Amino acid sequence: MAETNSHSQGSTAPPPPVYENPYYPLEGPPRTPEEHELLKSWIRTEREAVNAQVRTKLGTGSTSSLDEMAMANCADVRWQALQCLRGRSWIGRFTNFCLQEQQRITECVEGQTKHLKALGYHKLGKGATERERMLVANAADRLFLEEMKQKRLKEMQANLDSPKQ
């Protein structure tokens, strides 16, 4: 009983669990544009807090930045995969259609990450300017594109050299 009294005096009650009110901090579904924005802001804040906790637990504070830059450098490949998926039925999206495009995304992100690490992107720190980050990212992109060009040339040469049956 004393616990209930101390909780009701001066302190605010903790927010209800999410399963009780999925629209928290609102009492129900948003009805106005302002409520929509408030809910979006709340969700964004919660997502950032969870992501920060995950990065802290995993000890990957700088890796997030590295992964984000690798994904940014692969935007064209991701766009191609999205275009492939858009042209499919909903069943085609969950089958192996566009598998080649999805594999290219993986190959691109892994290659970009490798080159970004090799160039020290993850060691730039918070004091680095946006220009410095972009210079390293662009250099990594050039290295990756050159690597892919060489790989494609080798594949083409192997196809030419293979005996035709």
Side-chain angles (χ1 to χ4, degrees), residues 94-124:
F94 297 106
T95 58
N96 285 338
F97 290 112
C98 304
L99 183 62
Q100 187 177 16
E101 286 79 2
Q102 293 171 9
Q103 289 171 339
R104 284 186 186 142
I105 292 173
T106 302
E107 178 183 30
C108 181
V109 171
E110 288 173 356
Q112 290 286 348
T113 301
K114 177 182 81 171
H115 290 296
L116 286 166
K117 282 182 181 177
L119 293 171
Y121 185 86
H122 60 294
K123 296 178 183 176
L124 287 176

Side-chain angles (χ1 to χ4, degrees), residues 90-161:
W90 67 272
I91 293 174
R93 292 178 188 176
F94 297 106
T95 58
N96 285 338
F97 290 112
C98 304
L99 183 62
Q100 187 177 16
E101 286 79 2
Q102 293 171 9
Q103 289 171 339
R104 284 186 186 142
I105 292 173
T106 302
E107 178 183 30
C108 181
V109 171
E110 288 173 356
Q112 290 286 348
T113 301
K114 177 182 81 171
H115 290 296
L116 286 166
K117 282 182 181 177
L119 293 171
Y121 185 86
H122 60 294
K123 296 178 183 176
L124 287 176
K126 294 182 181 181
T129 65
E130 187 65 24
R131 184 176 186 284
E132 291 170 329
R133 292 181 189 286
M134 291 311 298
L135 287 172
V136 174
N138 289 338
D141 198 30
R142 281 191 300 276
L143 287 171
F144 175 73
L145 292 174
E146 184 62 33
E147 183 181 303
M148 289 295 101
K149 180 180 173 183
Q150 294 301 321
K151 181 180 176 183
R152 303 288 185 254
L153 287 173
K154 285 181 183 177
E155 288 173 357
M156 289 172 54
Q157 187 63 40
N159 288 339
L160 291 174
D161 292 344

